[in-house]
Amino acid sequence: MGYAHRIIAGDDVMADLNAYPDALKPYWGELMDIDAHEQLPAQLWEQEMGPAMKDLANYWLGMEDDGRDRHHPNVPGYVKDEVPISPETIWKLKGPPAPAAADISRRPEVMDLMGIKRQLLFPTMGIQCAAMVYLPPEHRFGKKIRNSYEERRAYGRELLKAYNDWGIRVAKFSDRVRPVLPVYSDSIEGMMAEARRLIDNGIRAIWLLSGEMPGGKSPAHPDLDPFWSLMEDNNVAVCLHVSSRGRVFVEDWADAPAFKGFTFLGEFDVDPWSTAHFHTLSENFLLTMVLGGVFERHPMLRFGCIELGAGWIGPLCERLDMWYGLDIARVNKNGAGLPHPPSFYVKRNVRVTGFDFEPFGRYLKNYDLEDVLCFASDYPHVEGGEKPLVKMYEEIAPLGERVVKKFFVDNGKWLLPD
């Protein structure tokens, strides 16, 4: 499929700024976008990020796209990011052809038309790099890039370094657009070294792999406290994000006819098995931190769970608070325990995004989440939808202006501080 055809793929829905809710107009230009992405086509990977990307890029360039997956990184005929930025293109076009998907220096202009002040920029291409590190030894994708598991993990580390070098350069375009760069190492010392390098180069948000214990330790282990302190002291947002499964859930669980034949969107599988639990790894990571006292020891640690759906966070808080209410579970034999219910730490320290089709109003009414849930455009990904502002606003508007302002502006500032 040629580049020109990819440009016009999708529903013929035009954005109309005048159709945006009047109630949001006072906040126009102040919106906080907690999830957006780069989406460089494979044609640019080696050019933008160096020779380490060549083998990974060639893998995708050797695959043809049938046009149904607008996340597909192979865009035949692609030369550069030059689609005009307009109210129509920023909501209608998806995937690598969208304006400012590849050339991040153009992204502030896109944000201006969306009413967005600041934005977290998560990996798309970078998820491919991380996959080389954390996918199980027998995973079908990894084996096509490197034969042995050890070679693949070594290549993955090389890719992550190249990706982060690119992200450091991108961060210099504008403080309004903040790349969220992966920090991975088999050791805490390695994590500390890479985190310091990123911080010293202006990075203000990092991505941790949900399916890997950071530095080989439980996220709640005291040995990681220097890492959390480094994040806290520098106002760096620590984020988990949807991605492929990692080493906790292997694909054999989904080896059944009911789960075959679904479209792969680049970030995650969309079969019923995968979509039912793609939040599970991050939920496990977060509850380990909460119950392990990380947020008690680091009260200013900024933490986000991004693009995992939002339906799980309320029940998690309810479940954790139930166990906290039992004296037997409150203090262990070493005297360790939490002075506040677990939900206290979630509401203070954690921000969560969902998809535009979710019932945010019901989540907010059933659970006390008005300080937790945040707006996210997911630009330029397909699953971000074409009218996310309208859909999300209509869901939460009945709860009043205070909740609307928190959702679209105030809560996001925790992950996007001045």
Side-chain angles (χ1 to χ4, degrees):
M1 172 171 285
Y3 177 48
H5 188 76
R6 289 285 294 275
I7 285 289
I8 60 174
D11 296 334
D12 187 19
V13 178
M14 294 297 183
D16 181 359
L17 292 176
N18 294 323
Y20 291 166
D22 287 342
L24 285 181
K25 289 181 180 178
Y27 312 126
W28 206 253
E30 297 297 322
L31 304 181
M32 296 290 156
D33 186 2
I34 306 305
D35 183 36
H37 291 265
E38 51 81 9
Q39 201 159 3
L40 285 82
Q43 280 77 3
L44 298 186
W45 291 357
E46 186 178 2
Q47 170 188 318
E48 289 289 323
M49 302 178 200
M53 297 293 168
K54 183 176 182 178
D55 289 349
L56 186 61
N58 284 341
Y59 167 79
W60 286 107
L61 293 173
M63 295 179 63
E64 291 188 4
D65 172 29
D66 62 8
R68 291 180 296 175
D69 182 0
R70 284 186 282 169
H71 274 318
H72 201 288
N74 184 10
V75 186
Y78 189 97
V79 177
K80 63 180 180 178
D81 188 334
E82 60 183 0
V83 173
I85 297 172
S86 71
E88 290 77 25
T89 59
I90 63 173
W91 294 117
K92 180 184 177 183
L93 298 183
K94 298 293 181 179
D103 183 353
I104 308 304
S105 69
R106 305 178 75 205
R107 187 63 65 92
E109 186 178 349
V110 170
M111 294 162 60
D112 288 342
L113 287 182
M114 291 179 168
I116 292 168
K117 183 175 183 178
R118 290 196 288 271
Q119 182 179 81
L120 290 179
L121 186 80
F122 282 88
T124 299
M125 186 272 154
I127 289 174
Q128 303 273 344
C129 302
M132 294 297 101
V133 169
Y134 65 59
L135 289 179
E138 298 303 314
H139 195 276
R140 61 190 184 279
F141 170 66
K143 291 182 71 176
K144 291 178 180 178
I145 309 297
R146 288 289 186 271
N147 288 327
S148 78
Y149 183 56
E150 293 75 17
E151 288 176 338
R152 171 153 46 94
R153 283 176 71 84
Y155 183 48
R157 288 189 286 270
E158 186 180 357
L159 292 175
L160 289 176
K161 171 64 164 55
Y163 184 81
N164 284 355
D165 289 346
W166 173 84
I168 287 170
R169 295 195 299 274
V170 165
K172 300 183 188 305
F173 290 137
S174 171
D175 186 56
R176 294 176 60 195
V177 185
R178 299 183 183 176
V180 188
L181 300 184
V183 171
Y184 168 80
S185 176
D186 293 322
S187 69
I188 295 174
E189 293 77 14
M191 290 187 64
M192 293 288 287
E194 180 64 358
R196 286 195 183 101
R197 183 178 82 93
L198 296 181
I199 292 169
D200 289 346
N201 282 280
I203 297 304
R204 305 186 65 180
I206 67 162
W207 170 41
L208 295 182
L209 310 185
S210 305
E212 291 269 339
M213 290 192 292
K217 294 281 188 178
S218 164
H221 198 285
D223 285 358
L224 273 166
D225 278 353
F227 179 80
W228 302 128
S229 291
L230 181 66
M231 302 296 104
E232 183 181 34
D233 294 344
N234 288 278
N235 287 324
V236 172
V238 179
C239 299
L240 308 178
H241 190 279
V242 68
S243 60
S244 296
R245 289 188 281 273
R247 289 189 287 174
V248 177
F249 291 116
V250 295
E251 59 187 356
D252 290 350
W253 285 95
D255 186 15
F259 308 132
K260 303 299 182 184
F262 292 84
T263 301
F264 181 74
L265 291 178
E267 286 180 289
F268 51 88
D269 294 314
V270 292
D271 63 86
W273 181 84
S274 299
T275 54
H277 79 64
F278 60 57
H279 69 280
T280 306
L281 294 176
S282 294
E283 181 176 352
N284 173 67
F285 199 112
L286 175 62
L287 72 86
T288 303
M289 293 182 68
V290 171
L291 298 180
V294 174
F295 298 113
E296 172 63 24
R297 300 193 297 273
H298 305 278
M300 293 299 292
L301 180 60
R302 303 168 188 271
F303 202 84
C305 295
I306 312 300
E307 203 179 341
L308 300 158
W312 59 277
I313 190 66
L316 173 64
C317 289
E318 188 174 68
R319 188 169 71 250
L320 296 183
D321 283 358
M322 177 192 72
W323 285 105
Y324 176 84
L326 302 177
D327 289 339
I328 191 172
R330 190 175 299 180
V331 179
N332 68 18
K333 64 182 180 180
N334 298 315
L338 299 176
H340 304 288
S343 63
F344 168 86
Y345 302 99
V346 173
K347 294 169 188 175
R348 186 187 67 187
N349 292 85
V350 182
R351 301 294 179 265
V352 175
T353 72
F355 300 100
D356 70 342
F357 53 79
E358 291 192 74
F360 290 102
R362 189 171 78 221
Y363 299 160
L364 288 161
K365 284 185 285 189
N366 290 351
Y367 305 99
D368 183 14
L369 297 174
E370 67 176 56
D371 294 322
V372 176
L373 300 183
C374 300
F375 167 70
S377 73
D378 202 26
Y379 184 85
H381 284 181
V382 175
E383 59 271 25
E386 292 175 329
K387 291 188 177 181
L389 282 166
V390 175
K391 287 185 177 181
M392 293 180 188
Y393 172 78
E394 290 176 348
E395 266 291 320
I396 64 176
L399 300 175
E401 181 181 353
R402 180 173 60 88
V403 175
V404 168
K405 186 171 183 287
K406 283 187 173 186
F407 184 88
F408 285 101
V409 180
D410 295 340
N411 292 349
K413 289 180 180 179
W414 180 245
L415 299 181
L416 286 162
D418 292 335

